[in-house]
Amino acid sequence: NISPERILGVSGTLSALGKYEYDILSKYGLEKFMYIPSVYGNSNFQFDKAGDGIKIETSKSDYFHSISDQIKVITKQEKRSVIVFFEDNSRFNEFTNSSFYRKLGRQKKLLTEHLSAGEKEFVISKAATTGQITISTAVFGRGTDFFCKDETVQKNGGVHVIQTFLSEEVSEEIQIQGRTARQGKKGSYQIIVLDSDLEENFNLKQVTDNVAKRDWYQTLCSARDKTHKRQCETIEENLIDATNKDKATHKYFDALLANDKQGAAKNFKDIYTSFKKGSMPSSVELDLAFVVDVTGSMAPYSKSTFATVKSILTGSSSISEKLKSNFPDIEFHLHIGAMGYRDIDDSSQFSERVAEGSGHFTMNISDVVSFVDTITQNPSGGGDLAEDHLGAIEKCVKWDSVDDWTSQIKFMLLLTDAPAHGMIPEGSKGVNNIDTYGVRHPKGLTAKSVTDSLLQNDIDLFICSFNPNATAVTEKELSSIYLNNNKNTEQREITCIPMVSVNDELVVDQSGERKAEVLGGHGNHIIFVLDMSGSMSHQWSGVVSAYSQYLTRRRQNQNESDLVSIVQFDSRAIVSARQVPISQAPSTLSYSGGGTCFSPAAQSALELGSKSPSSHVPSVVFMSDGAAGDADYAANAFTQLNNKVRRVYECDIELHVIAFGSGASRSQLQRIASSSPNGKLYESADAAELSNIFVEIASGGSLTERLEAEIGKRVSEAVSDRLSAEYLA
């Protein structure tokens, strides 16, 4: 409530206000309005409302064709410039990705919000020059100064503006018209719209068939006024509802302050009841689809992914148990679907579980768990680092068997570790092989079209990220487009669940440059400590093979940022590689033979680990087939290394210790493994088993144990919260 003595204001669109806006102004005592004529005299603005100033096309192709034809007439024949305004990025992208745009010639510029300030200024300064074509979104139709200094353009009629949609508010249309004929200059304006847009947004059907052309503009304005009136009525209804709820809330707090427990309880019940959408049903059908990224970079998380799905569907933290606890009076019927996906250019991009005779969803939980176990066994492919999340979401949304997506409540859980094509983090744009399809999806999919599909089918999306730094931009863009979609009348939101903690630190590489965000918070500095004593003479080739398979698996998992150091030891220690990129790690390792001492090798590992760059957290793979008298000294060295890692990275070092063959001292090697809370002892009988252990370590198996219980719990809670929102305002 405000009671100012005087309110003053200035507006360029005062004449566009309707009765509703004037009534609001009058409530605050604003009843005097002054209209000041332009200092530049009569306007030279041209808008042929009864003729070619209005074009309505019945198909998308004709619509784009009409826009491009008009651009060619203005720039080629009339030697003027043209500025085209699209309503949003979705339609802007459709046109600029079409053949119509490509055929407009070279003298064209795109004006987008993603440009730097300097780039925007350059495009705007060029827009009013002879033959120039500028394609923009409506956001630049307000306040942007496309001032014309080109005498040729002025002589031929000035800048021509094409608006490709009907504005919901007259003020926006006036602002867009004001981008031409500025400060007494000449200029013209035209509207080219798509018939289906008029029907969807203004309930106008077949205008070209039912209305004379001279009356088209008046018909559009009348429809806009009716739509605006309905919107104003909705605003008033919401305002009354909000006011009543505000009063009820004050009554509740007044009762609390007065220690009136009975009155407070009654007021709280009234508030709760006013927020409820309706009575709870006795039973609810719920569709839940898992969409799982199974490209190579997901290999470290494959076990966690499977554990997540299993935890969500079974056990004490399952969705069923959570819902029973939160809604004891409702019987829930869960229908589960699952799909694995790879990237655009991978063969067999989608792996789908289809139940015989009933489509993609089933109530048989064990079938789904088994299917997810199968698709996460061998993650592969992916090519570049960005993945086809849009294609996967669209594929799942379009499941159309008779029993697909039929429940009252529908959820889709996307599990990934990578950004979507076209939505990579700013700090990762210089990374090689980051995004092959950063400009356009080969199927024409956009964030807008995919969120449209989700909302049209009433599906709520959860994005579960194993690399929040990499997916941050994807989550932000999808969430924003979803929330602001005009079909999202309930203001629902995409739920983003980080499966690991987000690293907000500024991470740098060895050259001092900021580390690519898409690669995660820290890379790994892997320190191999390998026994090459005399007893290993017949097994050394197997050790080298296991080491090579480790490197191969890490690179398959897109861990190109890893650094590798190698310590080989017998009675002494030899450092054969120091912090080399994994792509340059040696493919062969020499062998000498000799006695066995652990301590020199451990000291070398301590030195190497202590000198790890801040961008890379050290981890150790220690392998031996024997025993030594200095195991305690070696364990002490690794304890020192763990303490340093804990201080710098706030975590314990991953210490993988492998007892190879029957001659290895399990007790001594266990003492070494116990130097870190993240230490683990493995036992290998032969070279084949050693290779399996190395590959398991390379795949990041230890991550699963730390995450699976918490992940299942968090996802179950998020799903339960979303279900609550279905029945509370």
Side-chain angles (χ1 to χ4, degrees), residues 130-172:
T130 304
Q132 185 64 44
I133 303 164
T134 305
I135 311 296
S136 180
T137 53
V139 69
F140 291 97
R142 184 181 294 270
T144 308
D145 190 8
F146 298 99
F147 187 67
C148 181
K149 299 179 182 179
D150 191 313
E151 292 301 325
T152 301
V153 172
Q154 272 301 295
K155 182 180 68 176
N156 294 329
V159 176
H160 185 68
V161 167
I162 300 175
Q163 183 172 343
T164 64
F165 63 98
L166 180 63
S167 296
E168 291 185 358
E169 296 182 3
V170 181
S171 61
E172 180 184 51

Side-chain angles (χ1 to χ4, degrees), residues 82 167 205 224 232 260 265 316 324 354 364 367 405 420 445 454 497 518 526-527 615 711:
V82 61
S167 296
K205 299 179 181 178
R224 173 165 54 198
C232 294
D260 179 4
S316 59
K324 285 178 185 177
V354 182
N364 189 328
D367 274 5
W405 297 120
L445 296 177
L454 287 166
I497 304 173
V518 74
I526 305 150
I527 303 169
S615 57
I711 291 169

